[in-house]
Amino acid sequence: MPISEFDIIFAGGGTTACVVAGRLAAWDPSLSILILEGGQHTLDQAAHVQPYRYTSHQAPTSTTMTFNVGNPSPRLNGRAPIVPCAHCIGGGSSVNAMFYTRAPASDFDDWGTEGWESKSLIPLMKKLETYEVQPDRPTHGYSGPIKVSSGGYKLGASEEFIHVGTTYHKRQRVEDTDDLETCNTYSMRRYIDGTTGRRSDAAHHYVYNQAHNANLQIWVGKRVKRVIFQDKRAVGVEFTSDLVSCPGAGHSSSIVRASKLVVISAGAFGSPAILERSGIGAETILKRCNIEQLVDLPGVGENYRDHNGVFVPYFAADEAITMDSLWLGKESVVQKNLAQWKIDGKSLIAQNGSDAKIKWRPDDDELKAMGSAFQPRWKEFFQDRPDKAVAIFALCAGTAGLRLRMLPPRNYMVACCFTLYPVSAGSVHIKLNENGQEGIDFDTGYLDDPTDIVPLNFGYKRMREILRRMPSYRGEVRAGHPHFPTGSAAVCGETTGPVDLNAPDLIYTAEDDEAIDRYHRGRMQTTWHSLGTCAMKPRADQGVIDSRLNVYGVTNLKVADMSIAPENVGTNTYSTALLIGEKAAMIIADDLGIECRSSELSWKSPRSRL
């Protein structure tokens, strides 16, 4: 008979939940802990441990992701944007692109939350990682569970991107672009184990490696419906079978009790939904869903944030080494690389396609070229904060996006640009559909603020100049670029080779600029970095939790995941999700009187790499 009571229950089994549960289980093995996850296990599954396979999770038929459909927006040419989030043990750490970036330290100071200042968090950033790139870096760690490396294969196109970037673009190349303060330098690291060539995720490195502990249990295919309260004290959760990961399962619900604590860790979409279904949220939202209000907390589901991304395809030389053959599933290429990877963890199997990025801040000339519309935002937020990048520019050697996979089979490169601190914010709430089933009322907020599109428009031009100077460049994939008017110097198409490094930049007319603006409104998309919907702020400022992660108005209930971030962070968010997990583990351990002793969480590499 299943256990009906645990000390701690985690509603959600994503990145942060794995970190918190794993740390607590290691510090006190007698603590009974339950993780309830709607998705399935990822243990030793090729799609989750072989880095190159991350693109498979974006397939429309994927059960490892939930595809959240936003409301149509006039700022997006009437589109209804789709924002995926992870749906499996390990969450985003099990399906993401493994880019290693970290936010500037000042981002956490900007949160203005006691105990979450950078001076308190940097030791935890070091604690969680093993930085395999350079020794003795003061802000990096060398004995943590999560491995950071250069990956298992160096791509020539990325070297070209860096060379052009440091000559034409006149930015420096440094080995450590993630020292918590440096911008405008080229390099890229990844969450890939440099020895085994496996993805370095939270599931394997925090919970699966504690399979010996019977008190740490993971129940998959279980969707948490709501938190159970007694006099506003959380005492358990109600859950049902997840119909996506468990098709054909019944609709009956079960209750499991928590004697000490319930932790909601279901992400920027799942966590506010659980709170609202539990009667915690704005009265108007709950009333339309026929839910009795327990706590008036109007900040639940508000403050939705993301980064704005655009991914632009280019043709690459036939002789260039890209990920396209692997991603297209060319059997001979896959088997050759897989055989090498099984021997030493090397080959394109241990690649995500991107070896190069720059955390970009515009210089004076670039800032002038961006025009007057961005100047107020620059002066208000960026000008006196030299550690904050406006955007990340990166190169991907291959077309990972599903929309681009419709292209004829050959070699491609993709210019990636995503802005780090867009002003616009959205919201995500539950609603009842016409058939009475629960749906989602999701306003992304994308490009609502007129300054948000400016860096994207300029980024397209700057990245195009960098790529057209790379030796592997063979022109633009016209269908994936702005539709410039006939006769424009900016018209796209295939070519036989790059321009000279010292060639003049393309000249764009006002009509061309309008085409770029329309293009971005038609194609700008999520970067899978959703956050902020259960913000750690004062209650009067639409906050949902306090600095100890306690939900306002109730007891024995915390939230711990990316939804708690009160402001955006200038990074791919995996690093921040890990960090929130480490901090949350210490907070909960302190609440429960558990000693945060050193513990071994390193993942022992298996003999077989799958």
Side-chain angles (χ1 to χ4, degrees):
M1 182 175 180
I3 300 173
S4 60
E5 182 172 293
F6 292 79
D7 292 325
I8 303 176
I9 296 174
F10 288 86
T15 298
T16 302
C18 287
V19 174
V20 185
R23 286 295 188 192
L24 293 174
W27 291 335
D28 184 359
S30 70
L31 202 64
S32 61
I33 299 171
L34 173 64
I35 297 174
L36 290 169
E37 165 58 38
Q40 291 296 316
H41 278 295
T42 57
L43 177 62
D44 286 341
Q45 293 186 18
H48 297 288
V49 302
Q50 294 176 4
Y52 90 99
R53 289 180 180 255
Y54 77 92
T55 60
S56 67
H57 302 291
Q58 294 294 334
T61 55
S62 172
T63 60
T64 60
M65 300 285 265
T66 299
F67 297 91
N68 302 286
V69 181
N71 301 327
S73 168
R75 310 297 192 298
L76 304 177
N77 292 347
R79 288 187 297 132
I82 299 174
V83 181
C85 64
H87 187 66
C88 58
I89 294 294
S93 76
S94 298
V95 299
N96 65 20
M98 297 155 286
F99 293 138
Y100 176 74
T101 60
R102 300 194 297 177
S106 66
D107 277 4
F108 303 104
D109 297 325
D110 291 347
W111 288 5
T113 305
E114 183 180 358
W116 292 80
E117 306 88 354
S118 62
K119 66 179 181 181
S120 301
L121 298 180
I122 290 174
L124 299 181
M125 296 182 200
K126 297 170 68 174
K127 175 184 178 180
L128 67 87
E129 72 176 16
T130 294
Y131 190 67
E132 300 177 344
V133 183
Q134 283 178 291
D136 304 321
R137 300 294 298 172
T139 66
H140 290 288
Y142 294 91
S143 59
I146 300 297
K147 306 298 191 297
V148 179
S149 76
S150 299
Y153 191 96
K154 184 171 288 188
L155 292 161
S158 295
E159 288 298 310
E160 295 174 15
F161 180 75
I162 293 174
H163 174 70
V164 175
T166 54
T167 50
Y168 159 77
H169 197 205
K170 296 181 172 58
R171 301 301 205 266
Q172 291 182 317
R173 176 176 185 166
V174 298
E175 290 303 311
D176 185 7
T177 59
D178 290 288
D179 60 2
L180 310 181
E181 62 180 5
T182 298
C183 290
N184 278 335
T185 53
Y186 281 87
S187 188
M188 176 72 91
R189 306 300 173 213
R190 282 167 289 237
Y191 287 106
I192 296 175
D193 188 314
T195 301
T196 66
R198 291 169 58 113
R199 171 191 290 273
S200 195
D201 64 304
H204 287 85
H205 294 79
Y206 282 91
V207 293
Y208 283 148
N209 56 344
Q210 297 193 70
H212 57 278
N213 184 352
N215 284 326
L216 174 58
Q217 294 200 20
I218 303 172
W219 295 358
V220 296
K222 307 302 180 185
R223 176 180 180 266
V224 173
K225 182 178 179 181
R226 64 188 179 103
V227 179
I228 305 297
F229 291 96
Q230 289 182 355
D231 299 324
K232 293 189 177 181
R233 172 188 171 90
V235 296
V237 300
E238 179 184 355
F239 66 91
T240 62
S241 293
D242 186 273
L243 299 182
V244 174
S245 61
C246 299
H251 291 274
S252 62
S253 62
S254 303
I255 290 176
V256 62
R257 297 193 171 271
S259 61
K260 300 182 185 295
L261 184 66
V262 174
V263 182
I264 299 177
S265 192
F269 294 95
S271 290
I274 292 173
L275 286 174
E276 290 179 340
R277 289 195 295 266
S278 305
I280 300 174
E283 183 179 8
T284 54
I285 302 296
L286 302 182
K287 184 176 290 187
R288 76 185 186 190
C289 295
N290 302 318
I291 296 172
E292 182 179 353
Q293 187 179 52
L294 179 71
V295 178
D296 182 23
L297 213 53
V300 173
E302 296 296 310
N303 193 51
Y304 175 82
R305 308 275 177 165
D306 195 354
H307 298 135
N308 300 339
V310 180
F311 305 90
V312 187
Y314 291 79
F315 293 113
D318 292 341
E319 63 271 19
I321 296 177
T322 72
M323 303 294 290
D324 291 292
S325 293
L326 244 64
W327 286 337
L328 285 171
K330 189 174 181 179
E331 187 64 21
S332 60
V333 177
V334 172
Q335 291 305 319
K336 176 183 176 181
N337 281 275
L338 195 57
Q340 185 65 45
W341 181 77
K342 288 181 176 179
I343 293 170
D344 59 10
K346 307 301 180 186
S347 85
L348 290 174
I349 300 296
Q351 253 288 357
N352 64 353
S354 188
D355 286 336
K357 76 168 189 293
I358 178 173
K359 291 181 175 178
W360 170 74
R361 281 175 63 87
D363 59 26
D364 290 343
D365 290 339
E366 290 172 325
L367 195 60
K368 183 178 180 180
M370 291 171 74
S372 60
F374 191 69
Q375 299 304 314
R377 175 63 174 162
W378 173 261
K379 291 177 181 178
E380 173 244 338
F381 186 80
F382 292 102
Q383 182 171 274
D384 298 325
R385 294 179 167 111
D387 60 337
K388 293 190 189 295
V390 174
I392 286 180
F393 297 163
L395 179 81
C396 184
T399 49
L402 286 164
R403 175 162 50 183
L404 303 179
R405 297 313 314 154
M406 303 304 291
L407 298 171
R410 58 170 294 180
N411 288 338
Y412 297 92
M413 303 183 292
V414 173
C416 311
C417 172
F418 66 88
T419 53
L420 296 173
Y421 302 98
V423 177
S424 304
S427 62
V428 55
H429 298 287
I430 60 172
K431 70 174 183 179
L432 289 182
N433 293 325
E434 292 181 0
N435 60 5
Q437 298 298 309
E438 183 183 304
I440 183 173
D441 181 9
F442 176 29
D443 176 14
T444 64
Y446 292 157
L447 304 183
D448 281 356
D449 189 282
T451 66
D452 287 345
I453 199 170
V454 179
L456 292 176
N457 290 344
F458 182 82
Y460 170 81
K461 297 176 182 179
R462 177 57 73 226
M463 285 291 281
R464 186 173 175 185
E465 293 298 342
I466 292 174
L467 266 76
R468 63 196 289 262
R469 287 164 170 78
M470 291 170 50
S472 293
Y473 167 86
R474 294 296 182 269
E476 300 85 15
V477 180
R478 184 173 296 183
H481 281 253
H483 182 68
F484 295 110
T486 303
S488 167
V491 167
C492 299
E494 191 169 358
T495 186
T496 56
V499 301
D500 187 78
L501 199 62
N502 298 312
D505 289 355
L506 293 169
I507 303 297
Y508 294 88
T509 65
E511 203 174 357
D512 293 333
D513 288 340
E514 290 175 4
I516 295 172
D517 191 275
R518 285 194 302 273
Y519 166 82
H520 282 132
R521 295 188 186 280
R523 291 182 71 101
M524 174 260 142
Q525 66 172 71
T526 180
T527 54
W528 309 278
H529 298 161
S530 300
L531 56 85
T533 52
C534 296
M536 183 169 55
K537 293 182 179 182
R539 187 172 183 175
D541 190 25
Q542 285 206 315
V544 176
I545 62 169
D546 63 20
S547 63
R548 303 284 295 182
L549 308 179
N550 299 305
V551 176
Y552 291 120
V554 295
T555 61
N556 281 50
L557 179 64
K558 295 181 186 285
V559 180
D561 54 35
M562 285 305 303
S563 74
I564 76 166
E567 304 289 344
N568 222 323
V569 285
T571 179
N572 297 72
T573 48
Y574 178 26
S575 59
T576 309
L578 290 168
L579 177 61
I580 290 171
E582 293 284 2
K583 179 66 175 179
M586 294 190 69
I587 289 172
I588 294 171
D590 183 58
D591 287 352
L592 300 180
I594 297 170
E595 181 183 357
C596 302
R597 55 185 172 79
S598 299
S599 58
E600 179 61 47
L601 278 175
S602 60
W603 172 246
K604 305 303 181 184
S605 303
R607 291 181 180 274
S608 170
R609 291 185 172 84
L610 295 176

